[in-house]
Amino acid sequence: MKCLSGIKNDYFEYNLLYSTFGKNTIESRINNLRPSFVEIAKSFNIKFNTQWIIRTYLASKMILASSVLLTSAQYAKHKNLKIVEPYLLYYPLLSCARSVIFTNPYIEWNDDLPSMPHSKTINIIGDIVAKYDKKKGEEIKNFIDWAREYREIFSYKFPANGLTEHLVKFDQVVTICRLLCELAQLQSAILESSITKHVTQKYEIDETEVTRTYLYGDKNFQFIDAEDGYRLGYIQRKVSRPYSIINTMTEGMVEDFFGAWCSDSDDEDGYNPDANWHIIFPVP
């Protein structure tokens, strides 16, 4: 049985979300989230159009990045690259949490949101999930914080005995990432539906604000990422408004994102980022 949200034109299957929280809880949360998104849509202007295009684009990239990190963790384990496992299992959790935060209507956009501290991110994602189920929110918060602390012991004191039994399990990380991805998608679907229903005119996009999205670096270097610029330019040319995560992603965007991590050589035994695109999300 397909687990659909009932949101108009949302054909995404929220299988893990429904099996975790149940139909009644999901419907209740949709009803609770919708007024905030409707308020955004009814107050729509250049600022909101620009901000929510950026937010859904960044949320989409966090999911793609998490996918690359997780398949890299699989490859590292296969190749006995144990030293990178604490990092490769923590950052997908953090990135998927950020995807949920980017698409949440209660969290205002500001310059600090893309660089929110890890501890604050973990606390907020726990609070968001707790709206569905308090125990699950605490569980996910504690799990991500455990992964963070374990990663940090290798950043600072570095145990001489290597990895221990305290390393989080790969399958658990994947499951939590999938759940967070579905939460982010659900929020973005409500956003898309609200804009489709209540926004009747086309708005421009603040070029300065968008450009800051693909400007990287600070004191030691700065560079413009051409691929980010192209993808955001594509959104501006083709649709010029925010859509849900699954509808923000295109085949070209996904192929190019994963392709950036392909080997420069023809080594058949090297890491292949194309091997498991759907590990946490049904990308196009």
Side-chain angles (χ1 to χ4, degrees), residues 6-35:
I7 300 168
K8 189 174 181 179
N9 296 326
D10 181 24
Y11 304 105
F12 189 92
E13 296 182 26
Y14 299 91
N15 298 319
L16 189 55
L17 203 60
Y18 275 82
S19 64
T20 302
F21 300 119
K23 181 179 179 181
N24 291 340
T25 297
I26 301 305
E27 289 179 354
S28 176
R29 287 306 302 150
I30 291 172
N31 291 332
N32 288 334
L33 285 164
R34 185 176 278 120

Side-chain angles (χ1 to χ4, degrees), residues 2 16 21 28 30 38 54 69 104 124 193 216 257 264:
K2 294 182 178 180
L16 189 55
F21 300 119
S28 176
I30 291 172
V38 168
I54 292 171
L69 288 162
N104 189 276
I124 290 177
S193 174
Y216 295 86
F257 190 96
D264 294 330

Side-chain angles (χ1 to χ4, degrees), residues 133-262:
D133 182 89
K134 187 174 181 179
K135 183 178 178 181
K136 194 67 177 179
E138 191 69 17
E139 175 190 319
I140 287 178
K141 173 186 171 183
N142 291 339
F143 186 87
I144 300 176
D145 197 48
W146 180 292
R148 176 201 57 78
E149 183 175 341
Y150 192 75
R151 185 269 302 173
E152 285 186 353
I153 68 173
F154 290 92
S155 299
Y156 299 101
K157 295 173 70 174
F158 210 104
N161 200 40
L163 297 184
T164 71
E165 73 277 8
H166 304 96
L167 178 65
V168 292
K169 304 300 182 187
F170 178 82
D171 290 345
Q172 289 179 283
V173 173
V174 169
T175 298
I176 291 176
C177 285
R178 285 176 178 167
L179 182 65
L180 296 179
C181 287
E182 290 190 12
L183 281 175
Q185 166 59 28
L186 182 69
Q187 292 177 158
S188 68
I190 304 171
L191 169 71
E192 178 182 326
S193 174
S194 299
I195 291 173
T196 299
K197 183 175 181 179
H198 297 286
V199 178
T200 57
Q201 69 181 85
K202 184 176 180 180
Y203 288 94
E204 298 298 323
I205 298 173
D206 186 334
E207 296 281 359
T208 301
E209 187 71 17
V210 169
T211 301
R212 292 168 62 188
T213 306
Y214 50 89
L215 174 64
Y216 295 86
D218 187 13
K219 293 186 297 183
N220 297 307
F221 60 85
Q222 282 193 336
F223 67 90
I224 291 285
D225 187 275
E227 181 64 19
D228 280 326
Y230 173 76
R231 291 300 161 194
L232 284 163
Y234 178 88
I235 293 171
Q236 183 176 355
R237 293 191 310 274
K238 295 294 183 179
V239 295
S240 194
R241 54 155 285 187
Y243 279 89
S244 70
I245 290 172
I246 193 67
N247 290 330
T248 296
M249 293 180 179
T250 63
E251 290 185 6
M253 174 184 174
V254 172
E255 289 174 359
D256 289 346
F257 190 96
F258 287 111
W261 300 96
C262 287

Side-chain angles (χ1 to χ4, degrees), residues 24-69:
N24 291 340
T25 297
I26 301 305
E27 289 179 354
S28 176
R29 287 306 302 150
I30 291 172
N31 291 332
N32 288 334
L33 285 164
R34 185 176 278 120
S36 294
F37 281 117
V38 168
E39 184 179 345
I40 290 168
K42 287 185 174 181
S43 305
F44 222 59
N45 52 27
I46 293 174
K47 182 180 77 170
F48 281 148
N49 191 41
T50 303
Q51 287 179 2
W52 282 99
I53 284 174
I54 292 171
R55 290 176 73 146
T56 51
Y57 178 72
L58 290 176
S60 302
K61 280 209 305 177
M62 292 301 99
I63 292 174
L64 296 178
S66 298
S67 303
V68 172
L69 288 162

Side-chain angles (χ1 to χ4, degrees), residues 38-151:
V38 168
E39 184 179 345
I40 290 168
K42 287 185 174 181
S43 305
F44 222 59
N45 52 27
I46 293 174
K47 182 180 77 170
F48 281 148
N49 191 41
T50 303
Q51 287 179 2
W52 282 99
I53 284 174
I54 292 171
R55 290 176 73 146
T56 51
Y57 178 72
L58 290 176
S60 302
K61 280 209 305 177
M62 292 301 99
I63 292 174
L64 296 178
S66 298
S67 303
V68 172
L69 288 162
L70 286 167
T71 55
S72 295
Q74 285 181 309
Y75 181 78
K77 189 172 185 65
H78 176 67
K79 290 295 184 179
N80 196 37
L81 292 173
K82 294 181 180 180
I83 196 169
V84 299
E85 288 186 56
Y87 302 88
L88 295 177
L89 292 180
Y90 166 62
Y91 281 102
L93 293 164
L94 184 74
S95 296
C96 288
R98 295 176 69 209
S99 184
V100 177
I101 290 170
F102 283 140
T103 54
N104 189 276
Y106 300 116
I107 299 171
E108 294 185 2
W109 175 258
N110 58 61
D111 291 343
D112 296 328
L113 190 58
S115 56
M116 181 184 290
H118 294 205
S119 57
K120 186 174 181 179
T121 300
I122 294 168
N123 286 331
I124 290 177
I125 196 60
D127 292 341
I128 291 174
V129 177
K131 298 291 185 181
Y132 294 80
D133 182 89
K134 187 174 181 179
K135 183 178 178 181
K136 194 67 177 179
E138 191 69 17
E139 175 190 319
I140 287 178
K141 173 186 171 183
N142 291 339
F143 186 87
I144 300 176
D145 197 48
W146 180 292
R148 176 201 57 78
E149 183 175 341
Y150 192 75
R151 185 269 302 173

